[in-house]
Amino acid sequence: MRKLLNTLYVTTPEAYLSKDGLNIVVSVKQQEVFRIPSINIESIVTFGYMGASPGLMKLCSDSGISLTFLTPHGRFISRVQGATHGNVLLRKAQYSLSDNEDWSLHIAQLMIAAKIQNYRNILRRYIRDYGECPEVEAASQVLDMNKFHALHAADKTRLMGWEGTASNIYFEVMPKLILNQKESFPFNGRNRRPPKDAVNAMLSLAYTLIANDTSAALETVGLDPYVGFLHSLRPGRTSLALDMMEEFRAYIGDRFVLSLINKRQITPKDFLHQGDNGVILTDKGRKTFLTAWQNRKRETIIHPYLNEKVEIGLLPYVQAMMLARYIRKDIDDYPVFLIK
């Protein structure tokens, strides 16, 4: 099994990245503030516009280190990758299957049904831990029906319709899952670009990080993250990563955000309200978020298909590996990730 290394999160907007030998160096106003050997890093995520030196980019490319640029507010700018690796026959098969409507629909059905089931499992866990709640119970039952409809959708348009309905139902009852700081963290459904409340601000950042990790995982196993089976192809869009991350949104993203609130690791003081420009994390809040995120990625679970201990941060890699095996016809079907 692949080893999970560190992700370097550079949260200072004025930071500039360069290299010194095989070390990654972070400087602010031409003063070195941090360095780390590249051998200890598997990815870099930097929040800012100062950028990185060509030498650092080459070091990352040669070392297989993913380098991602986000705005200071956490919106995706770009991701730098080196030469394409992996079996060319695998990618050729991927491209061919992306044009096969029946095959693509089957994979899309599995991923969306898994997303809906994971939504439902989160609600069922709430009921199991905190007792009956009529609204949550009703939502859970509707999600179960939506999962059935998603698995039997006649085409992608109808599939996306069931996915949208399921998401709306799930997010309508999400406020019930906020057990502490309820008044400080109001949530009236999913919104973005810009997020209108603190919960949405954290969800957006979590989803951005999941998409980035999933893109890197797909590259690692030799798949093209830009050629998906559900999300439409668009220049610069990692369609396959967006497809696959549907399985992880609830478990890796939503549960993490809820945990930060319920454990009071994040408070209202960690956010700035910018009127029409939405809500963003403060520098301190973003550091708190990313520290907890890194710790969460190192926690282990028993993978439901492999029946082996896996670090949460490696789940995108494991699922990418399974998808590659299915494309190569090494396994009979794609085993989606389902939480208990």
Side-chain angles (χ1 to χ4, degrees), residues 192-252:
R192 52 181 182 160
R193 297 180 183 175
K196 301 298 184 183
D197 56 66
V199 179
N200 274 293
M202 289 190 287
L203 288 174
S204 291
L205 178 54
Y207 295 160
T208 297
L209 296 175
I210 295 170
N212 180 62
D213 287 350
T214 306
S215 293
L218 291 164
E219 280 280 353
T220 299
V221 302
L223 291 170
D224 188 339
Y226 293 89
V227 179
F229 305 109
L230 174 61
H231 289 85
S232 59
L233 302 185
R234 186 184 302 170
R237 171 191 258 184
T238 53
S239 297
L240 184 55
L242 295 178
D243 292 351
M244 179 167 284
M245 71 173 283
E246 298 290 10
E247 303 172 44
F248 308 129
R249 285 180 184 267
Y251 181 68
I252 300 180

Side-chain angles (χ1 to χ4, degrees), residues 115-129:
K115 174 183 182 177
I116 297 173
Q117 180 62 40
N118 286 336
Y119 278 164
R120 183 176 183 273
N121 287 346
I122 284 182
L123 300 187
R124 297 305 306 174
R125 178 173 178 172
Y126 170 86
I127 293 171
R128 183 173 66 248
D129 291 346

Side-chain angles (χ1 to χ4, degrees), residues 3 29 53 103:
K3 183 178 179 181
K29 297 180 180 179
S53 71
W103 199 95

Side-chain angles (χ1 to χ4, degrees), residues 51 88 101 105 134 152 170 180 238 262 278 310 322 339:
V88 66
E101 287 297 325
L105 177 61
H152 297 86
Y170 167 74
N180 296 313
T238 53
N262 290 331
V310 175
M322 293 298 174
I339 62 176

Side-chain angles (χ1 to χ4, degrees), residues 1-37:
M1 178 60 68
R2 179 171 175 262
K3 183 178 179 181
L4 180 65
L5 298 178
N6 293 316
T7 296
L8 174 61
Y9 295 102
V10 182
T11 60
T12 304
E14 298 82 14
Y16 181 74
L17 303 174
S18 60
K19 85 175 189 77
D20 180 13
L22 296 178
N23 294 306
I24 297 165
V25 179
V26 181
S27 302
V28 176
K29 297 180 180 179
Q30 299 183 335
Q31 296 294 318
E32 180 180 325
V33 296
F34 181 78
R35 70 166 51 211
I36 188 171

Side-chain angles (χ1 to χ4, degrees), residues 14-310:
E14 298 82 14
Y16 181 74
L17 303 174
S18 60
K19 85 175 189 77
D20 180 13
L22 296 178
N23 294 306
I24 297 165
V25 179
V26 181
S27 302
V28 176
K29 297 180 180 179
Q30 299 183 335
Q31 296 294 318
E32 180 180 325
V33 296
F34 181 78
R35 70 166 51 211
I36 188 171
S38 60
I39 195 173
N40 296 331
I41 294 294
E42 71 173 1
S43 62
I44 302 172
V45 179
T46 179
F47 295 75
Y49 298 111
M50 295 300 291
S53 71
L56 185 278
M57 292 184 183
K58 184 176 188 305
L59 175 63
C60 289
S61 175
D62 293 344
S63 305
I65 298 172
S66 168
L67 176 57
T68 303
F69 297 93
L70 306 180
T71 70
H73 300 160
R75 290 191 63 182
F76 180 81
I77 299 175
S78 67
R79 179 171 168 269
V80 178
Q81 63 187 49
T84 299
H85 300 287
N87 188 341
V88 66
L89 297 179
L90 174 62
R91 291 206 175 197
K92 185 176 180 181
Q94 176 190 356
Y95 299 149
S96 176
L97 291 171
S98 71
D99 292 328
N100 184 322
E101 287 297 325
D102 291 338
W103 199 95
S104 295
L105 177 61
H106 173 67
I107 284 291
Q109 287 172 331
L110 292 177
M111 291 179 173
I112 294 301
K115 174 183 182 177
I116 297 173
Q117 180 62 40
N118 286 336
Y119 278 164
R120 183 176 183 273
N121 287 346
I122 284 182
L123 300 187
R124 297 305 306 174
R125 178 173 178 172
Y126 170 86
I127 293 171
R128 183 173 66 248
D129 291 346
Y130 300 102
E132 292 293 331
C133 174
E135 295 92 337
V136 175
E137 179 65 41
S140 173
Q141 293 177 6
V142 175
L143 287 175
D144 197 34
M145 291 186 291
N146 281 8
K147 180 191 71 174
F148 175 83
H149 290 304
L151 282 172
H152 297 86
D155 52 53
K156 293 179 185 177
T157 300
R158 296 181 190 181
L159 176 61
M160 292 301 290
W162 289 115
E163 185 275 335
T165 300
S167 294
N168 289 337
I169 292 168
Y170 167 74
F171 284 122
E172 280 179 5
V173 297
M174 188 181 232
K176 301 289 184 183
L177 310 186
I178 299 176
L179 306 175
N180 296 313
Q181 307 189 88
K182 277 184 175 291
E183 294 183 359
S184 299
F185 287 93
F187 181 74
N188 298 307
R190 185 77 177 106
N191 58 69
R192 52 181 182 160
R193 297 180 183 175
K196 301 298 184 183
D197 56 66
V199 179
N200 274 293
M202 289 190 287
L203 288 174
S204 291
L205 178 54
Y207 295 160
T208 297
L209 296 175
I210 295 170
N212 180 62
D213 287 350
T214 306
S215 293
L218 291 164
E219 280 280 353
T220 299
V221 302
L223 291 170
D224 188 339
Y226 293 89
V227 179
F229 305 109
L230 174 61
H231 289 85
S232 59
L233 302 185
R234 186 184 302 170
R237 171 191 258 184
T238 53
S239 297
L240 184 55
L242 295 178
D243 292 351
M244 179 167 284
M245 71 173 283
E246 298 290 10
E247 303 172 44
F248 308 129
R249 285 180 184 267
Y251 181 68
I252 300 180
D254 302 351
R255 280 184 57 174
F256 173 75
V257 170
L258 290 168
S259 177
L260 286 181
I261 298 171
N262 290 331
K263 292 181 179 179
R264 304 182 190 275
Q265 293 173 274
I266 285 282
T267 70
K269 294 180 180 179
D270 293 313
F271 298 88
L272 291 175
H273 295 259
Q274 298 186 314
D276 292 339
N277 292 323
V279 177
I280 63 170
L281 282 156
T282 64
D283 290 343
K284 176 180 177 296
R286 188 163 57 243
K287 290 176 182 178
T288 299
F289 183 101
L290 294 173
T291 299
W293 180 264
Q294 191 79 318
N295 291 335
R296 172 65 170 159
K297 287 173 66 174
R298 294 196 173 281
E299 294 177 10
T300 60
I301 63 169
I302 301 297
H303 191 278
Y305 179 79
L306 297 178
N307 198 31
E308 296 178 3
K309 279 188 176 181
V310 175

